Each structure stands twice: as structure tokens, then as C-alpha cells.
Amino acid sequence: MSLSTRPTTTAPPTPPAPVGIRGIALRLTMSFKPHARRVEHTRRMAGALLRQDDVAREAVETVQLLVSEIVTNAVVHGNGDRVRFSLAYDPCGTVRIEVDDRSPAQVAVRHPGPDEESGRGTFLVDALARDWGRRGTRTWCTVSVGSAREVRA
């Protein structure tokens, strides 16, 4: 029996290719008890998701404002023991925000007076969203966003 004393050589392992999220559809879904502190939490999560794909800062801020307004309405006016939130982003640059508050009430745009402290949420959604509405117990809106790559180009 002959044994080789020559060391065997093997190529170093190839590191795995990095996995990025650019160019793929993203979706965030959450369900939580209706509490005021969840508004900030949901807004931050939405921003973090969009920044991963280099969405322009101004667009992220608009989406975060819309998330805050719709989630606040759900927390304040909803009927259920849970608020269900989803945010979907497609690589073509559309964000869809949807919040289910378990309330069958219709939502209308108000025009509050300058001394009123609340009532501007749907006014802001109407002004900033590309489209919005109410289906059953869900309030939704869509926003067109570009990526930071497009802004720099």
C-alpha cells in the first residue's frame, strides 16, 4: 500500500454572493394592540424597509407621514382589539399602505378650522397619496416613490 506524502490542495471556499433586496417586491405586515406608541413603531419600521432599497429620503418621509396618519386613525377610532397593518413596495416605485381597524365607519376628508387640534389626518392622506380609499374595515393608500438611484441619475 502506497501513501502519498504530498499535501492535497483545495481551493478556498467561495463566499456566498451577497443577498440584496434591490429590485424585488417587499412587504411588511404587522398586527398589534391599538396603542398610541405603536404609531411611532410602525412609522419607523416602514421607513427602515424603504431605506433598504435606497428610496429617496423625501419619499420615505411622505410614506412615514401617511403611515402615522392612517395608523393613528385606526388606534383612535378602530373597533377591534388588534390593528392590522401592511406595507407593500414594488420595484417599479409604488408603495401601498393598508390598515384594518375593524371599524365599518366610513372615512371622510375633513377641513378643520385653524383652532381645531385634530381632524387633519385624512386631509393629509388625500393631499399626499396618489390614491386612497376605504374598503370594508380597511383604509388604504398608494404612493409613487422613486429610488435614490433615480434621483442621483
Side-chain angles (χ1 to χ4, degrees):
M1 177 157 124
S2 168
L3 295 176
S4 172
T5 58
R6 195 171 71 183
T8 57
T9 58
T10 58
T14 305
V19 177
I21 64 169
R22 293 181 188 194
I24 63 170
L26 302 173
R27 184 171 186 89
L28 169 66
T29 58
M30 298 170 28
S31 175
F32 48 86
K33 291 185 178 185
H35 191 281
R37 72 173 180 242
R38 294 298 182 193
V39 175
E40 170 72 16
H41 181 245
T42 307
R43 181 174 67 234
R44 287 179 187 247
M45 294 289 290
L49 180 76
L50 295 175
R51 281 190 293 274
Q52 289 182 44
D53 200 41
D54 291 334
V55 172
R57 183 178 53 83
E58 296 83 12
V60 172
E61 290 171 358
T62 298
V63 168
Q64 288 181 300
L65 176 59
L66 293 169
V67 166
S68 292
E69 295 303 332
I70 296 175
V71 172
T72 296
N73 282 347
V75 167
V76 172
H77 303 293
N79 286 341
D81 63 342
R82 308 289 291 176
V83 173
R84 287 163 185 80
F85 169 83
S86 72
L87 183 141
Y89 168 68
D90 70 60
C92 295
T94 299
V95 173
R96 181 180 174 93
I97 302 162
E98 191 170 302
V99 179
D100 187 348
D101 62 10
R102 310 304 290 167
S103 172
Q106 293 299 311
V107 177
V109 177
R110 291 189 54 219
H111 299 279
D115 294 334
E116 293 183 66
E117 293 183 13
S118 65
R120 291 171 181 78
T122 52
F123 178 79
L124 289 170
V125 172
D126 189 57
L128 297 173
R130 181 177 68 196
D131 198 11
W132 76 278
R134 179 99 171 150
R135 179 173 291 149
T137 61
R138 297 172 186 251
T139 302
W140 60 269
C141 72
T142 58
V143 184
S144 295
V145 297
S147 70
R149 294 180 304 268
E150 292 170 353
V151 171
R152 286 189 292 259

